[in-house]
Amino acid sequence: MSMQEWVALALLIAGCFFYLAGTIGLLRFGDVHSRLHALTKADNLGLMLVCAGLAVLAADWRTSALLVLIWLLGLLAATVSAHLIARHARRDGK
Amino acid sequence: MSQILGLAVLFLLLNLVAGLWRVARGPTAADRMLAALLFGSTTVAVLLIMAEWMTMPALRSVALLFVMLAGIVTIAFFGLPAGDDER
Amino acid sequence: MLSSHLIDLVLALGMVVLALQVVSERAVLRSIILFVVFGLVMALAWTRLKAPDLALAEAAIGAGVTGALMMMAWRRLLIINPREPADTPRGRSRVAIPVALLAAALVATIGLSALFIDPPTDTAGRIALDEMVDTGLGNPVTGVLLLFRNLDTLLEMAVLLIALLGARAISKPAHPNEAAVVETGTPLVGALLAILVPLSILISTHLLLAGTNEPGGAFQAGAVLAAGGVALVLTARLQPGDRPGVIAQVAVTAGLVAFIGIGVGVMAFGETLLVLPDTWAVYVIETAMMVSIGLTLVLLFAGAPALVGRRT
């Protein structure tokens, strides 16, 4: 495997690790707010690392730009979604 | 490299399956919606990896759509009255 | 490769388990969320089956708009008939699983028997793929939808219009606050909309134009437009109105009118009915269809004959 593939592999593995961390947080934390916290942060970081790894693998600026766009949108959507879910949970009295 | 991509997809899918437990458990509605958010994010990653693995660039457009729609379903969820779930 | 088999196995089992849970779960909100998740997994299944057009459509319509629609419907039911958290039904319906398994067995029988039929050598699909070279289009799905079987697509547009008229006929006049779920002052939502709505217009245009050569097309583009419109309705930027304006009425019927107009118009030039002259006709019809589909879906979502800008 070339250098490019090694770098992409490292980034992908790191990304998958963060997704695992997010899932563990979802299953193990005790409160909806802490689960929200763990999940959003870990998943977005995982998405960034996965997108970075795939961009390195693709080595094509159009694909990389699209991947960056998808990551940024994912960040935006996850932020607003987390905020709305937390507000809803607070209305519940939690 | 291709095999590693396949393994990554499998790993993320197993994460998804694990998240189903939280949808079943709850206890609040926000918990279930939160797990659905996990699914959306994981599915985006799976689609992006599959775009490379199966060489189907169109899957990146599908990932883009998913990201857009995650926000919309959450906004709709926000409208549900508080307390709509068992404790 | 072993991992691809395992992936397909996980997806297939996941879909079956999710489907059984959606059907048998008594608590409605849980069912709805499971349905959205099911849509996600199904979109992944379509990608594994190498059908990106279907994955696009499933993502936009199945997971997104339908999920939001069901949550809105549940919300309105709760407004009419409020219930305490203690009243949430628990457990699973006993009848649902056997019925679902019976229906699944029926579908499986039909599907499996189709697998064991020897396909004839001269199928319509093969002929269509051969003819694709002459059409100038790169995407066989668009070729089938708009050139070879465009009568079906035309009738689908008519069905969509009839559905809208039917919904209009039986719905009450809309209360402006019923469709919106987010108070206008909620932070962050405005920022999301400021990016999502223009992006949905951009992406739908891209899908429309790319649909002739890559996965995409009018239905997917219309669904993305509808998603942007649904976001506006949910956040009270667009509110239900009473009387549709001229533009709305034209937009809703544009797809059907364009299709019939061009399809019948070619007869004046000696061609057979619905044989489209060239790729420009495909572009015109697809654009009109995209606008109609998008607007119809948003109107059906809002449950109103028309949409007006925010009045507050």
Side-chain angles (χ1 to χ4, degrees):
Chain A
M1 291 204 303
S2 65
M3 187 63 204
Q4 175 190 8
E5 291 187 342
W6 278 114
V7 171
L9 176 64
L11 288 169
L12 273 177
I13 290 184
C16 287
F17 167 73
F18 275 104
Y19 268 109
L20 179 66
T23 311
I24 293 179
L26 176 69
L27 296 181
R28 296 287 299 173
F29 280 10
D31 181 31
V32 67
H33 293 288
S34 30
R35 284 177 208 139
L36 203 45
H37 192 197
L39 190 69
T40 324
K41 295 215 160 108
D43 266 13
N44 280 327
L45 197 53
L47 185 63
M48 180 185 86
L49 290 169
V50 166
C51 282
L54 289 174
V56 166
L57 208 53
D60 161 31
W61 74 267
R62 276 188 72 210
T63 313
S64 307
L66 186 56
L67 286 172
V68 168
L69 176 68
I70 292 178
W71 170 61
L72 286 175
L73 277 180
L75 214 54
L76 177 66
T79 309
V80 179
S81 300
H83 174 77
L84 286 178
I85 294 179
R87 272 195 113 139
H88 184 100
R90 222 172 52 128
R91 280 201 309 220
D92 263 359
K94 286 249 151 183
Chain B
M1 192 70 217
S2 159
Q3 288 178 333
I4 296 181
L5 290 178
L7 284 174
V9 170
L10 185 61
F11 180 77
L12 289 175
L13 278 184
L14 291 175
N15 264 316
L16 214 124
V17 169
L20 275 179
W21 187 78
R22 180 51 73 196
V23 179
R25 253 320 267 252
T28 64
D31 284 301
R32 299 179 218 277
M33 193 62 213
L34 180 51
L37 201 63
L38 162 86
F39 290 171
S41 179
T42 312
T43 309
V44 169
V46 167
L47 280 169
L48 289 177
I49 300 181
M50 282 214 268
E52 191 68 36
W53 183 46
M54 293 167 62
T55 23
M56 285 201 322
L59 294 186
R60 299 196 181 103
S61 307
V62 185
L64 195 55
L65 284 194
F66 264 117
V67 164
M68 277 179 49
L69 296 158
I72 292 176
V73 176
T74 313
I75 297 179
F77 166 79
F78 181 69
L80 290 171
D84 171 51
D85 210 10
E86 63 182 289
R87 290 288 162 233
Chain C
M1 240 194 318
L2 183 59
S3 48
S4 49
H5 291 310
L6 280 177
I7 289 172
D8 293 339
L9 188 65
V10 169
L11 282 176
L13 279 181
M15 288 209 303
V16 170
V17 167
L18 277 172
L20 283 176
Q21 285 195 312
V22 168
V23 164
S24 65
E25 182 69 60
R26 277 216 189 106
V28 176
L29 179 64
R30 246 168 282 183
S31 269
I32 295 177
I33 294 183
L34 285 170
F35 183 80
V36 172
V37 174
F38 176 76
L40 294 181
V41 178
M42 189 138 102
L44 287 179
W46 287 128
T47 64
R48 285 296 301 157
L49 289 172
K50 304 218 166 87
D53 300 76
L54 286 171
L56 277 171
E58 179 69 38
I61 303 177
V65 177
T66 311
L69 184 68
M70 287 196 289
M71 289 208 190
M72 289 298 292
W74 182 228
R75 176 174 176 265
R76 291 207 205 181
L77 282 178
L78 284 179
I79 290 177
I80 297 175
N81 206 355
R83 56 161 61 177
E84 292 295 310
D87 290 341
T88 311
R90 290 155 198 261
R92 302 175 172 250
S93 157
R94 293 256 186 95
V95 180
I97 295 193
V99 171
L101 287 177
L102 209 61
L106 182 63
V107 174
T109 315
I110 299 176
L112 282 176
S113 55
L115 274 182
F116 288 119
I117 299 178
D118 285 327
T121 42
D122 223 7
T123 55
R126 219 150 291 184
I127 298 179
L129 279 176
D130 292 333
E131 298 275 325
M132 277 299 298
V133 186
D134 298 327
T135 57
L137 294 180
N139 185 3
V141 174
T142 308
V144 168
L145 281 179
L146 282 177
L147 292 178
F148 302 134
R149 295 292 303 225
N150 49 7
L151 180 62
D152 294 330
T153 315
L154 178 69
L155 293 177
E156 280 164 16
M157 295 303 295
V159 165
L160 200 59
L161 185 61
I162 293 175
L164 179 64
L165 292 176
R168 205 188 276 191
I170 63 173
S171 59
K172 299 185 313 189
H175 189 265
N177 288 330
E178 268 188 352
V181 303
V182 175
E183 304 94 33
T184 45
T186 312
L188 287 189
V189 171
L192 182 67
L193 281 182
I195 298 189
L196 257 193
V197 175
L199 199 66
S200 72
I201 298 179
L202 184 64
I203 295 180
S204 59
T205 313
H206 166 75
L207 282 176
L208 179 70
L209 293 175
T212 45
N213 288 317
E214 297 163 5
F219 284 104
Q220 289 86 348
V224 171
L225 265 189
V230 161
L232 287 172
V233 168
L234 281 175
T235 52
R237 267 55 167 186
L238 279 181
Q239 293 178 342
D242 279 331
R243 305 174 138 271
V246 174
I247 301 182
Q249 302 207 342
V250 165
V252 159
T253 50
L256 193 60
V257 164
F259 217 144
I260 295 182
I262 297 187
V264 171
V266 290
M267 282 172 59
F269 292 90
E271 283 279 0
T272 333
L273 175 68
L274 280 182
V275 174
L276 297 182
D278 206 357
T279 15
W280 66 264
V282 171
Y283 278 115
V284 166
I285 293 180
E286 281 215 305
T287 310
M289 273 171 53
M290 173 185 83
V291 172
S292 292
I293 292 173
L295 187 57
T296 306
L297 285 178
V298 178
L299 285 176
L300 282 173
F301 185 89
L307 295 167
V308 298
R310 183 161 43 169
R311 280 191 281 231
T312 49

